[in-house]
Amino acid sequence: MTPDELLRAELTRVAIAIGAPDSVAPVLERPRDPAHGDWATNLAMTLAKPLGRKPREIAEALVAKLDLAAAGVAATEIAGPGFINFRLDSGANARGLANILALGATFGRTDVGKGAPVNVEFVSANPTGPLHVGHGRQAALGDAISALLEGAGYRVTREFYYNDAGVQIENLAKSLWVRVAQAAGIEVQIPEGGYNGEYIRELAERFLSESGAPPSSALLAGAEAIAAGSAPADAALFDTMRRFAVAALRAEQDLDLRAFGVAFNVYYLESSLYTDGRVEETVDMLRKGGHTFEEEGALWLRTTDFGDDKDRVMRKRDGTFTYFVPDVAYHVTKWQRGFTRAINVQGADHHGTTARVRAGLQALEVGVPKGYPEYVLHQMVTVVRGGEEVKISKRAGSYVTVRDLIDEVGRDAVRYFFLMRKGDSQLVFDVDLARSQSEENPVYYIQMAHARLSGIFRVGEIDPATIIADGVQWDALAEDAERELVKSLLDYPRLVAGAADALEPHRVAAYLLETARQVHLWYHKHHVLGEPEHILRARLVLAKAARQVLANGLALLGINAPERM
RNA sequence: GCGCGAGUAGCUCAGCUGGAUAGAGCGUCGGCCUCCGGAGCCGAAGGUCGUGGGUUCGAAUCCCGCCUCGCGCACCA
């Protein structure tokens, strides 16, 4: 039990003793001002109404009955409108360090998830080009959220949904066709909605060298068809190109993800929803449910019955389905595969789809909960280099890829920068800052704190494994800098639990930066090696505990914790 | 026009799901230091939390209106 858990238990007992309901759950918080003690509770204020007594009076009654020794409290104080402040007895906080050493890499883990299966879907890029910075933010977010949920006791499946069917893929295949035709000397332009990127030209070259040059008559006919807005007549050749392009770009994206250190458990192909009949099946079910209607030659779903702001087309006039249908079919599989929670990490530019996917799932009436799936939406990323924004132009096909960033600043920095802001705010990625080897760079600063702590053991030729908490004089950790550091370290589990609950990894990033700051402060002010034995031992425990917490937090974010830099 | 998000110190951002005198880094100003590991340490100035109402013991946080910016509003994903 950590000191605050002990105190909470004692408060609960006393509250019930003075007449509070058995369900009472005292909330302890860290006072902003350290002068107010180690912990504070507003319990007396929340009990004022149910007990019909004044807050300060209740506070006094509570304090009078409190078993200070059992709760590890040295002093209490009633303040303001009815806060009770607690100062733990000397060393009570520090004793919590033993807990950190005992739990090691599992310090900060909880079991609120109770092994429930959660599906976290992220990146899910169309295989129509390399991963760009937006995907990078998503990869970092999705992976960190997954790690947070695992730490909270959920069984997490990381899933990538490939939109390898539909109009975008059609455009991709046409773009490749055009580049191949151009290589054969045919004059034709990339069609409206096509892909202009240089990578398509490279793809065309690879296609030619691997598959050989197609007959130019077929290429010309196809190019004319594309220019006229339709598909090439040579369906077999067109299909070959489509497959080639999708396979090649998927392989590229896999390399990007590997470079970023992100691994998925499941790659789900949109095309499989068509081949195994789930799309048709979904449409049938929706029709039977009576929520569809036909208008202007299209088949619609009345999503407005389920909270969407307008009805949606399911089957277009040309007989093909909109992306929305496979999307719904796909999410049904998540539910059917047993995921009681499904979390989708997406760019905020997709927020329009959330209401209709949920509406579609409700319309199916197969027992999917209303808020399913959950969405974590993130705002845009802008890249700044040399103090200027790097312009991203989709039309010209020029943008900053994830791989560019990783090559330039390293995986750890990319991860941290994508995670240091909350998803709701727009993110500025300062390339120069990310690559700088100075303490202004937050990643460097945090990793440096870990390396410094490691350095103490290395320089002192002490094996950290031999450092144990037994017999340590806890009140030897009496300096302000170390008392504050100890408090921060013990706060870690609460912090992580909150971050997991809110699906907000940036809290961990901010915590690590603050804790690293305290480590540096302590390190500069106080020596470890060469101190008297009892201080040396206590500080080695602190150093080991701090190193552990930094390492645990960095691991959640997918960032290395180096021993030396 | 409608929906979602943002607006907090000169700049970049936190603010633990409603708590006490709103915090950190950078920058500015003043003073030290050169020490296990590389400009570090101490202090200061700097705020009508976009704005106007409301809810209550108590609001940056919750509700309503307005302003500014971003994103979306396809039979594209």
Side-chain angles (χ1 to χ4, degrees), chain A residues 312-389:
Chain A
R312 304 293 170 178
V313 169
M314 295 169 63
R315 199 185 54 224
K316 299 181 255 184
R317 271 193 294 256
D318 66 8
T320 62
F321 294 106
T322 60
Y323 68 91
F324 157 68
V325 181
D327 247 21
V328 172
Y330 170 51
H331 282 90
V332 173
T333 76
K334 289 186 183 173
W335 178 250
Q336 290 169 340
R337 282 183 281 154
F339 294 110
T340 47
R341 287 183 75 183
I343 294 162
N344 290 1
V345 182
Q346 301 184 344
D349 54 343
H350 284 66
H351 85 260
T353 67
T354 64
R356 72 189 78 160
V357 168
R358 286 176 176 164
L361 289 170
Q362 291 306 305
L364 281 170
E365 293 168 2
V366 291
V368 178
K370 271 195 173 158
Y372 193 96
E374 301 163 56
Y375 285 90
V376 174
L377 302 180
H378 65 84
Q379 297 292 327
M380 305 287 99
V381 177
T382 53
V383 177
V384 170
R385 182 186 281 119
E388 288 193 16
E389 183 178 340

Side-chain angles (χ1 to χ4, degrees), chain A residues 273-521:
Chain A
L273 293 165
Y274 287 95
T275 55
D276 66 14
R278 286 181 186 277
V279 170
E280 290 286 353
E281 188 188 333
T282 301
V283 172
D284 287 346
M285 284 174 69
L286 290 170
R287 289 185 113 147
K288 279 184 194 140
H291 300 294
T292 62
F293 63 96
E294 299 217 25
E295 194 176 291
E296 298 172 19
L299 179 67
W300 298 66
L301 180 67
R302 212 181 298 280
T303 51
T304 47
D305 287 351
F306 302 94
D308 199 2
D309 54 1
K310 57 177 93 160
D311 293 328
R312 304 293 170 178
V313 169
M314 295 169 63
R315 199 185 54 224
K316 299 181 255 184
R317 271 193 294 256
D318 66 8
T320 62
F321 294 106
T322 60
Y323 68 91
F324 157 68
V325 181
D327 247 21
V328 172
Y330 170 51
H331 282 90
V332 173
T333 76
K334 289 186 183 173
W335 178 250
Q336 290 169 340
R337 282 183 281 154
F339 294 110
T340 47
R341 287 183 75 183
I343 294 162
N344 290 1
V345 182
Q346 301 184 344
D349 54 343
H350 284 66
H351 85 260
T353 67
T354 64
R356 72 189 78 160
V357 168
R358 286 176 176 164
L361 289 170
Q362 291 306 305
L364 281 170
E365 293 168 2
V366 291
V368 178
K370 271 195 173 158
Y372 193 96
E374 301 163 56
Y375 285 90
V376 174
L377 302 180
H378 65 84
Q379 297 292 327
M380 305 287 99
V381 177
T382 53
V383 177
V384 170
R385 182 186 281 119
E388 288 193 16
E389 183 178 340
V390 180
K391 284 290 174 198
I392 294 170
S393 165
K394 224 173 196 173
R395 194 178 261 163
S398 77
Y399 48 66
V400 183
T401 66
V402 176
R403 200 93 68 84
D404 292 340
L405 282 183
I406 296 171
D407 289 347
E408 199 168 351
V409 309
R411 181 208 283 187
D412 287 342
V414 175
R415 286 247 191 183
Y416 188 87
F417 273 64
F418 277 142
L419 292 171
M420 68 183 178
R421 303 287 179 240
K422 63 180 166 196
D424 290 337
S425 16
Q426 295 181 29
L427 187 147
V428 178
F429 196 114
D430 184 335
V431 175
D432 304 308
L433 179 61
R435 68 184 303 176
S436 94
Q437 300 275 302
S438 77
E439 304 202 345
E440 288 167 37
N441 181 349
V443 201
Y444 182 85
Y445 190 72
I446 295 166
Q447 291 185 321
M448 184 65 167
H450 184 272
R452 271 185 166 158
L453 293 169
S454 304
I456 293 172
F457 293 96
R458 190 171 52 249
V459 171
E461 295 182 342
I462 298 162
D463 179 359
T466 65
I467 300 304
I468 53 169
D470 293 350
V472 168
Q473 283 182 37
W474 297 113
D475 52 11
L477 297 173
E479 302 289 348
D480 284 350
E482 44 202 14
R483 291 172 58 92
E484 291 305 304
L485 177 56
V486 165
K487 274 200 214 176
S488 287
L489 297 178
L490 295 180
D491 270 343
Y492 177 74
R494 282 158 50 98
L495 182 282
V496 171
D501 184 51
L503 306 175
E504 291 184 348
H506 79 276
R507 295 192 195 184
V508 178
Y511 169 85
L512 287 172
L513 189 59
E514 171 60 20
T515 304
R517 200 178 66 85
Q518 293 181 333
V519 166
H520 287 300
L521 235 133

Side-chain angles (χ1 to χ4, degrees), chain A residues 177-255:
Chain A
W177 187 294
V178 166
R179 291 301 187 204
V180 170
Q182 285 173 342
I186 297 169
E187 293 239 353
V188 57
Q189 297 302 313
I190 296 283
E192 188 73 20
Y195 296 89
N196 278 300
E198 188 58 31
Y199 62 94
I200 303 288
R201 216 184 290 271
E202 290 161 13
L203 214 56
E205 279 168 27
R206 275 173 52 196
F207 179 80
L208 286 169
S209 68
E210 286 172 32
S211 311
S216 59
S217 58
L219 276 181
L220 181 58
E224 283 168 353
I226 289 169
S230 54
D234 191 337
L237 180 57
F238 190 50
D239 193 51
T240 303
M241 285 199 194
R242 187 175 57 78
R243 285 169 191 277
F244 181 85
V246 168
L249 290 171
R250 277 192 62 188
E252 281 298 308
Q253 292 184 350
D254 285 348
L255 289 176

Side-chain angles (χ1 to χ4, degrees), chain A residues 10-146:
Chain A
E10 176 61 11
L11 270 174
T12 306
R13 185 187 70 76
V14 173
I16 292 170
I18 67 161
D22 288 353
S23 60
V24 66
V27 175
L28 284 173
E29 47 194 27
R30 289 286 194 199
R32 221 193 304 266
D33 187 346
H36 290 145
D38 295 304
W39 292 100
T41 184
N42 61 355
L43 182 61
M45 279 128 85
T46 59
L47 287 179
K49 223 166 240 173
L51 296 187
R53 298 167 64 185
K54 289 181 184 154
R56 289 195 68 107
E57 197 181 306
I58 294 172
E60 278 164 29
L62 287 169
V63 168
K65 285 193 184 295
L66 211 58
D67 182 346
L68 296 183
V73 173
T76 63
E77 174 195 26
I78 298 168
F83 288 101
I84 308 175
N85 295 331
F86 302 96
R87 187 174 309 281
L88 300 185
D89 57 35
S90 150
N93 268 325
R95 216 165 312 165
L97 295 178
N99 198 30
I100 300 177
L101 296 202
L103 294 174
T106 65
F107 177 70
R109 298 183 78 98
T110 57
D111 191 35
V112 294
K114 297 188 168 57
V118 183
N119 183 288
V120 181
E121 182 204 329
F122 57 108
V123 185
S124 293
N126 294 345
T128 56
L131 298 181
H132 56 69
V133 287
H135 296 124
R137 186 172 193 185
Q138 233 173 83
L141 259 176
D143 203 34
I145 285 171
S146 299

